[in-house]
Amino acid sequence: MRLPRWAGTLATKSAVFITVMCCALAALLGGLVHVSVTDQTVAQAREQALSRLAEATGDFEAGDRLLPEARVDPRGLPTPLRALALNGERGTMVSKDEGRPIMWAAGPADRHRVLAVAVDYSQQARTIAALDGSILWSSALAIGATLLVGAFAVTRVTRRLHGTAQVARRISAGDLDARVDDPRTKDPTRPQDEVAAVAAALDGMAASLQSKLLSEQRFTADVAHELRTPLTGLHAAAELLPPGRPTELVRDRVAALRTLTEDLLEISRLDAGRERLETDAEALGALAERVVQASGTETEVKVVRDVWVETDRRRLERVLGNLVANAHRHGRAPVVLTVEGKEVTVRDHGDGFPEYLVAHGPQRFRTEGGSKGHGLGLTIAVGQAEVLGARLSFTNAVDGGAVAVLTLP
């Protein structure tokens, strides 16, 4: 039987534990009641049988007529009880005679015979059997009721834990507005259990993380905006410098700073989530060829299967352009861009992506291997791909080289 989504190993283990404990408690209490009542019933029947045996012994010794249930050397008398009476002792024993339960009481009649009394034990046997049945039924009902109540209580806890886990997954996926909002954490008069403490801790962590990320985004946007004005003036001043090698170096650095500033502004917009799509139908193969032509690089374009897609052309060109530029900047030729349906692959034949990038994705302002750059190109590509609803993954080819795969929706 398939369990509900909110049920897991905790609910299963709790149900098994409750069932085992209920069964053990029911068996213990039922056993105690059975032993107590049985001992009391048997003691009463034994006392009655021994009393009648004493009367029968007096009648036998006086030569009077014996009671109807008293007999000398009866055929149905159990062998152990007969041996006990022949040894000069009295005793009782329960056995069946012609299918009926009988309480036997026996004692010596003379040196070679036994005097025994048979008392009907059917009523007592039925009483004990009825008691055992009542114990079984009441135990089953108690176990069922306890299991239902316990399952209800446990599933309430597991449902809350499942909701907390869902919120944690949403936060890890980037939804920093997600909160558990457990009502117990908002009302101090209500008892605070462990699940509420976990929910409160997760909400506090999410709020702190959101605050820090928002501060970082504001800082990035503010820095980029503040750099724009002096860079504009610096660019205009660089254009007025006389031709020469120093002028080229200045213009090159100013252009790099302007590119970095624009990248920071784009990242701040992506982080803020204010980007909106402007979709149109585009032929993917033709768009890839335009991107390669605009890049001015020697990139081979392979169109295995061309398709038309509904996408934002400018953003898709930005993603592919960054992937091609990164392949030429950090990899080695040949660089191949392959279009196969809605999947676009950009591959170079260099040393491949760093391990951290393959495992966790690109990180801004982090590069390895002495490569130049700020790690913003691939970060922007991933952000724009998310806006497009596409998936961008990074792997390394078996025979060497970095492979970036863009899968469009």
Side-chain angles (χ1 to χ4, degrees):
M1 184 176 62
R2 187 175 181 180
L3 294 173
R5 286 191 310 167
W6 44 261
T9 56
L10 178 60
T12 304
K13 291 178 180 178
S14 300
V16 172
F17 176 77
I18 292 173
T19 303
V20 171
M21 292 302 297
C22 287
C23 291
L25 183 61
L28 177 62
L29 294 178
L32 291 175
V33 172
H34 171 82
V35 170
S36 176
V37 173
T38 301
D39 288 347
Q40 184 178 2
T41 303
V42 171
Q44 291 176 352
R46 180 181 292 114
E47 183 179 354
Q48 180 183 6
L50 289 174
S51 175
R52 292 188 180 183
L53 176 63
E55 294 179 8
T57 302
D59 293 341
F60 179 79
E61 292 176 349
D64 296 336
R65 184 175 181 178
L66 296 178
L67 298 173
E69 63 268 20
R71 285 173 285 175
V72 177
D73 287 335
R75 295 181 57 186
L77 185 65
T79 302
L81 188 58
R82 182 186 297 274
L84 182 68
L86 289 175
N87 288 332
E89 298 180 12
R90 293 184 177 186
T92 60
M93 187 174 181
V94 177
S95 68
K96 286 191 175 182
D97 184 19
E98 297 180 357
R100 292 186 309 147
I102 298 295
M103 170 66 78
W104 291 96
D110 49 32
R111 298 184 65 180
H112 302 291
R113 291 188 300 174
V114 174
L115 177 62
V117 174
V119 178
D120 188 10
Y121 193 71
S122 301
Q123 181 62 38
Q124 290 85 343
R126 285 194 295 268
T127 301
I128 295 175
L131 174 66
D132 292 340
S134 299
I135 291 174
L136 288 176
W137 279 107
S138 60
S139 298
L141 290 175
I143 291 172
T146 306
L147 186 59
L148 288 176
V149 174
F152 174 74
V154 171
T155 50
R156 287 190 65 187
V157 174
T158 54
R159 189 180 295 113
R160 291 168 60 197
L161 288 174
H162 179 73
T164 304
Q166 280 187 326
V167 172
R169 284 191 289 268
R170 288 171 57 191
I171 293 173
S172 64
D175 184 7
L176 298 181
D177 292 325
R179 297 290 185 275
V180 180
D181 285 333
D182 194 314
R184 290 170 177 78
T185 61
K186 298 181 179 180
D187 187 358
T189 61
R190 301 184 65 177
Q192 302 294 309
D193 57 9
E194 289 78 3
V195 181
V198 172
L202 181 62
D203 287 347
M205 181 198 70
S208 176
L209 180 62
Q210 185 179 39
S211 176
K212 291 180 180 179
L213 288 178
L214 289 176
S215 298
E216 179 185 341
Q217 292 171 9
R218 284 195 297 268
F219 174 77
T220 302
D222 292 343
V223 168
H225 279 290
E226 292 297 327
L227 286 176
R228 246 183 167 182
T229 300
L231 279 176
T232 302
L234 191 59
H235 176 73
E239 294 295 327
L240 298 177
L241 293 176
R245 181 60 180 168
T247 300
E248 292 178 1
L249 292 175
V250 171
R251 290 176 179 174
D252 180 65
R253 293 300 87 195
V254 170
L257 281 174
R258 291 188 67 181
T259 301
L260 175 60
T261 302
E262 295 300 327
D263 287 347
L264 288 174
L265 284 172
E266 186 170 359
I267 286 177
S268 67
R269 289 193 298 270
L270 289 172
D271 288 341
R274 295 193 298 265
E275 299 293 318
R276 295 293 179 268
L277 290 177
E278 297 179 3
T279 59
D280 198 2
E282 298 287 341
L284 199 53
L287 187 144
E289 291 176 354
R290 289 200 306 269
V291 169
V292 170
Q293 185 177 3
S295 68
T297 60
E298 294 183 1
T299 302
E300 180 183 357
V301 178
K302 291 183 179 180
V303 180
V304 179
R305 181 167 59 89
D306 198 4
V307 293
W308 285 77
V309 293
E310 286 285 337
T311 187
D312 189 319
R313 178 181 59 81
R314 180 183 65 83
R315 298 185 190 280
L316 183 56
E317 288 178 349
R318 176 69 159 154
V319 174
L320 296 181
N322 283 13
L323 294 179
V324 170
N326 184 80
H328 282 280
R329 184 177 297 114
H330 302 292
R332 287 193 296 270
V335 176
V336 182
L337 189 153
T338 305
V339 177
E340 186 172 359
K342 293 186 177 182
E343 187 175 275
V344 183
T345 304
V346 178
R347 179 190 174 179
D348 62 57
H349 290 76
D351 298 329
F353 291 119
E355 292 184 2
Y356 82 88
L357 193 148
V358 174
H360 306 290
Q363 301 176 20
R364 61 192 70 175
F365 299 110
R366 177 175 179 180
T367 57
E368 290 188 359
S371 59
K372 298 179 180 180
H374 304 90
L376 298 181
L378 292 182
T379 303
I380 292 173
V382 170
Q384 293 290 10
E386 291 178 354
V387 175
L388 292 172
R391 182 170 57 88
L392 183 56
S393 59
F394 303 93
T395 57
N396 290 322
V398 177
D399 54 347
V403 181
V405 181
L406 177 68
T407 305
L408 295 170

